[in-house]
Amino acid sequence: MDFALRLPPAGTIRSLAPTAAVFAILAAAACGADAGEETALLRGDRAFAHGDYEEALAEYRLSMLRDNPGGEAEMRAAHAYAALDRIDEASSLYQRAVRGDSAYADQAISDLVAAAIRAQAGGDSYGMASAIEAAQSLRRGIVVEELALALARHYSETGQGARARPLYLRALGADPTDPEVVFETALAHVEIGDCESALLYLATFGELAPDRSSEANWHIGWCSYELFRERRSQGHVEEAVELLEAVIRHGEPRTHLPQAYFDRADLLSELGECAAAVEAYRAVATRFGGGHGALARRALDRMDSIRFGVGTEGGAGAC
């Protein structure tokens, strides 16, 4: 189950500060601490209140050394690490603190999400992802709606299509008419090999942004050829022909075109459409005779086999 978090309105997110609300779950235990520990905690709180997070961290760590690990000193130290955007250290301490007392989880998640927001605002997609992943390690399924698209783009750009896909779908749910998001969603499906879904999104992209439809040609051709191979192996010959025609119609990928023309001719022959097969083989020979001489010769040989029953290579299928 996903736990969707929505951010407060722009301008209401403040930097971390040791307010009574922030430390409410921590303060009670300090009353029974010895004087030295209390002094370290209070010095840390004072430094934090003045924005000196490094000094605050030093005091909190001192308190941790004087006491057993855990409790309010550990949580305060994690809070200071988060304020410094040192996510790995913050996450490690939060994990320990939450294992000791699950009541700390909400504050830890809030701090990590705030760090993710700051990272995203500063253009640090790696920091954003690291902070969100740290929050998710404390509570599975957390999604910050306003960061979903930025996080999807980060995962897509770093070759993690499987992680990008559900985030793109979430972003698309918020605005299904944004052609950029539709296109990026399609590419995420291409990356994970789900060409059937990718083609649907690419078709939608073409409808939403007809002046940009050429941007999708390579991906449509690539996926159409991949699906052609699958459908042919399953014996769905007519559908396989349609997919090859999509490759040819979009003219991409260019490296696949000679073979796509030849495969189409073969399938037409299998279907018993002999005249159409002859014309298709002729197209292979005339279009690709120069740079693809061997393929052109095979096409001419199959033409002769269909037309005259001669040639070194037998005709394909019913022809």
Side-chain angles (χ1 to χ4, degrees):
M1 177 182 294
D2 287 349
F3 294 89
L5 301 180
R6 289 198 174 275
L7 307 184
T12 64
I13 298 171
R14 300 185 296 114
S15 61
L16 295 173
T19 62
V22 169
F23 289 137
I25 61 175
L26 306 173
C31 296
D34 63 50
E37 180 194 5
E38 185 178 4
T39 300
L41 286 176
L42 290 175
R43 286 198 304 266
D45 290 352
R46 193 174 299 113
F48 202 112
H50 289 89
D52 191 347
Y53 302 143
E54 292 284 2
E55 179 64 24
L57 179 59
E59 294 292 351
Y60 295 149
R61 287 172 60 108
L62 178 60
S63 182
M64 288 172 58
L65 290 173
R66 290 177 175 175
D67 188 23
N68 292 325
E72 67 275 10
E74 188 171 77
M75 191 64 180
R76 278 173 160 86
H79 191 64
Y81 276 126
L84 292 165
D85 295 326
R86 293 168 62 176
I87 300 304
D88 289 344
E89 293 100 327
S91 178
S92 178
L93 283 181
Y94 281 136
Q95 290 279 359
R96 286 164 49 183
V98 171
R99 280 197 296 269
D101 187 346
S102 61
Y104 292 139
D106 286 345
Q107 182 61 53
I109 290 167
S110 176
D111 290 350
L112 291 166
V113 169
I117 295 166
R118 290 195 300 275
Q120 194 272 339
D124 179 8
S125 66
Y126 284 91
M128 173 191 63
S130 178
I132 290 297
E133 289 164 13
Q136 290 170 339
S137 73
L138 296 170
R139 184 172 296 155
R140 293 182 61 185
I142 283 178
V143 177
V144 182
E145 296 288 359
E146 287 77 356
L147 296 182
L149 181 56
L151 197 57
R153 285 170 171 163
H154 167 78
Y155 286 137
S156 183
E157 289 166 3
T158 54
Q160 301 178 73
R163 301 182 79 168
R165 176 184 170 277
L167 291 163
Y168 271 124
L169 293 177
R170 187 175 288 273
L172 197 60
D175 184 1
T177 62
D178 185 332
E180 200 65 43
V181 178
V182 172
F183 187 56
E184 291 176 28
T185 303
L187 298 190
H189 283 83
V190 173
E191 187 176 347
I192 64 174
D194 184 359
C195 275
E196 198 159 1
S197 296
L199 287 175
L200 293 175
Y201 287 113
L202 289 167
T204 301
F205 171 71
E207 294 169 1
L208 292 172
D211 56 324
R212 297 177 56 193
S213 59
S214 61
E215 296 176 35
N217 285 347
W218 191 94
H219 304 287
I220 293 173
W222 171 269
C223 270
S224 295
Y225 197 80
E226 291 299 302
L227 284 177
F228 146 71
R229 290 172 170 168
E230 180 182 309
R231 298 297 187 267
R232 186 177 193 179
S233 69
Q234 296 168 344
H236 303 310
V237 179
E238 291 184 356
E239 188 178 352
V241 171
E242 291 175 2
L243 288 162
L244 285 175
E245 288 173 348
V247 177
I248 292 167
R249 183 168 62 254
H250 288 89
E252 296 286 357
R254 294 184 182 181
T255 54
H256 288 35
L257 283 179
Q259 191 63 49
Y261 271 88
F262 190 88
D263 290 335
R264 178 175 174 274
D266 272 356
L267 291 179
L268 290 171
S269 181
E270 285 183 33
L271 290 169
E273 299 181 21
C274 302
V278 167
E279 291 306 312
Y281 283 127
R282 179 178 287 112
V284 175
T286 55
R287 286 175 178 269
F288 308 106
H292 302 271
L295 193 66
R297 286 192 294 274
R298 288 179 62 197
L300 290 171
D301 190 70
R302 291 196 180 181
M303 280 178 60
D304 288 345
S305 180
I306 293 171
R307 294 171 68 197
F308 310 116
V310 298
T312 59
E313 189 174 351
C319 292

